[in-house]
């Protein structure tokens, strides 16, 4: 099977499963109370109040990132960033990738199997339809930080920018254990 066929299959099967209506996404429902609290406290789209959960949600023009995380990794390795991207606007928003000062490259990638091995292959920019959520998760979609220039330790928080056609979103990314399969607050309700 050729690389293009694998990529086509990946997009055909993974992308629809990763695009969930915001109202049907469990993380979105859990965030509702948290968002109302932010709005009541004067929260705006570009600044989060310091607090227990402020690093878990970032917003930009109707686009939200929730629970960004990566695994502990060593200098010179690639690191994968996972996050839920919720488009709460009334327009399609194009997810272009990201920027991270401590990596040689940053690219959107999709999981596939090649010769019996787990492989992440580069993907093009991806649209997120209004009211939909794109989930970047292990063995699915991810943002690959290529050849990081520093060790990432469990408990660290790194700062990066997600790039959209509507602008750049600053995101705090929690570093989890090297073998983690989900954010340590997965299923946690923000109130």
């Amino acid at each position: 099977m050729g690389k293009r066929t694998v990529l086509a299959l990946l997009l055909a099967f993974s992308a629809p499963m990763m695009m969930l209506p915001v109202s049907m996404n469990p993380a979105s429902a859990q965030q509702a109370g948290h968002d109302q609290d932010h709005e009541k406290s004067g929260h705006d789209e570009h600044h989060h109040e310091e607090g227990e959960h402020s690093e878990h949600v970032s917003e930009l023009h109707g686009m939200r990132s929730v629970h960004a995380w990566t695994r502990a990794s060593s200098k010179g390795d690639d690191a994968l960033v996972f996050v839920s991207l919720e488009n709460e606007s009334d327009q399609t928003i194009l997810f272009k990738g990201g920027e991270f000062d401590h990596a040689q490259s940053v690219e959107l990638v999709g999981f596939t199997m090649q010769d019996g091995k787990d492989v992440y292959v580069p993907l093009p920019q991806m649209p997120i339809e209004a009211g939909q959520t794109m989930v970047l998760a292990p063995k699915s979609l991810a943002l690959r930080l290529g050849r990081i220039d520093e060790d990432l330790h469990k408990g660290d928080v790194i700062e990066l920018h997600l790039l959209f056609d509507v602008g750049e979103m600053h995101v705090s990314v929690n570093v989890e254990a090297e073998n983690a399969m989900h954010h340590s607050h997965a299923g946690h309700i923000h109130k």
Side-chain angles (χ1 to χ4, degrees):
M1 187 178 309
K3 185 174 182 178
R4 288 180 189 238
T5 303
V6 170
L7 183 57
L9 289 172
L10 172 71
L11 289 173
F13 292 105
S14 296
M17 292 172 52
M18 294 295 100
M19 300 295 245
L20 303 171
V22 171
S23 62
M24 293 182 64
N25 181 354
S28 178
Q30 294 169 355
Q31 295 301 319
H34 179 60
D35 294 339
Q36 290 171 354
D37 290 345
H38 274 297
E39 290 167 10
K40 289 177 187 171
S41 67
H43 178 275
D44 66 32
E45 289 190 347
H46 300 286
H47 175 71
H48 292 275
E49 298 291 325
E50 290 297 318
E52 182 182 355
H53 300 295
S54 64
E55 73 278 6
H56 297 291
V57 179
S58 296
E59 299 181 29
L60 172 75
H61 302 297
M63 202 62 223
R64 289 170 26 108
S65 72
V66 181
H67 286 160
W69 66 281
T70 188
R71 296 177 180 125
S73 303
S74 298
K75 179 179 178 179
D77 289 346
D78 292 346
L80 298 172
V81 174
F82 309 108
V83 62
S84 291
L85 301 174
E86 301 174 354
N87 183 353
E88 296 181 339
S89 76
D90 60 358
Q91 66 184 18
T92 298
I93 295 178
L94 186 63
F95 178 47
K96 298 175 155 188
E99 293 179 348
F100 180 58
D101 291 338
H102 300 282
Q104 287 186 4
S105 63
V106 180
E107 61 186 342
L108 180 63
V109 293
F111 177 83
T112 189
M113 296 288 292
Q114 289 181 351
D115 299 323
K117 295 182 181 177
D118 295 356
V119 178
Y120 284 89
V121 297
L123 296 175
Q125 304 173 40
M126 295 190 71
I128 305 173
E129 300 293 328
Q132 299 293 306
T133 295
M134 177 185 290
V135 179
L136 280 63
K139 297 198 175 196
S140 179
L141 301 174
L143 198 61
R144 178 168 48 204
L145 310 178
R147 297 186 49 86
I148 56 174
D149 67 10
E150 61 186 10
D151 291 339
L152 302 180
H153 301 98
K154 181 180 178 183
D156 289 350
V157 176
I158 62 171
E159 307 297 323
L160 61 81
H161 288 95
L162 299 178
L163 306 178
F164 301 92
D165 61 344
V166 295
E168 291 186 23
M169 178 189 296
H170 176 265
V171 177
S172 297
V173 179
N174 292 337
V175 179
E176 302 293 347
E178 187 176 350
N179 61 351
M181 290 302 288
H182 55 81
H183 187 280
S184 61
H185 289 114
H188 178 78
I189 296 174
H190 291 268
K191 290 199 176 202

